[in-house]
Amino acid sequence: QGQLVESGGGLVQVGDSLRLTCAASIRNFGSYTMAWFRQAPGKEREFVAAIHWSGATTHYADAVRGRFTISREKVKNAVYLQMDSLMPEDTAVYYCAADQSSYIHVETAPYDYWGQGTQVTVSS
């Protein structure tokens, strides 16, 4: 059994920044590839960013590359998503996910654990 808890969401204005945190209670957390997904109202859940279990590789969706940064802190069992230059189209519920594989997946199916999500709203 494992648990992921997201925090850090909120209501911000265009151009602002937010930092999301995912606190993980997963055995052998260091062996999991971690990712952030998001889901806007009426849309499917989409990949945002991921970081390999080694921390050596990251991958971003085209829509956020250059604005968002994913990082992890194994000692604290935490993953972060630094979001800069936020835009209204970034408005969504953001989910943290964990995948016990050696590959970075952009699909939702391979991920073993999911958090409950945190709302990010960007107002224009």
Side-chain angles (χ1 to χ4, degrees):
Q1 288 285 351
Q3 186 177 19
L4 302 175
V5 179
E6 303 95 335
S7 62
L11 173 63
V12 297
Q13 295 187 335
V14 171
D16 284 351
S17 297
L18 275 177
R19 187 195 196 205
L20 305 184
T21 297
C22 172
S25 299
I26 298 177
R27 187 176 181 181
N28 297 325
F29 168 75
S31 65
Y32 282 78
T33 289
M34 301 298 295
W36 289 94
F37 286 76
R38 67 186 182 186
Q39 188 167 18
K43 294 187 177 181
E44 294 187 353
R45 194 168 298 188
E46 65 175 4
F47 172 81
V48 175
I51 184 166
H52 190 258
W53 64 264
S54 67
T57 304
T58 57
H59 183 61
Y60 296 92
D62 289 343
V64 306
R65 187 175 291 113
R67 298 188 298 121
F68 291 10
T69 304
I70 188 171
S71 60
R72 67 188 300 162
E73 196 168 3
K74 291 186 178 181
V75 174
K76 294 187 176 181
N77 278 17
V79 179
Y80 308 102
L81 185 68
Q82 177 66 40
M83 305 187 295
D84 298 320
S85 302
L86 283 162
M87 302 185 295
E89 47 265 48
D90 295 318
T91 296
V93 177
Y94 283 71
Y95 297 90
C96 178
D99 174 18
Q100 197 176 19
S101 76
S102 298
Y103 302 98
I104 288 181
H105 297 280
V106 299
E107 308 85 5
T108 59
Y111 288 85
D112 304 296
Y113 299 101
W114 291 86
Q116 83 290 346
T118 185
Q119 177 71 47
V120 172
T121 303
V122 184
S123 172
S124 58

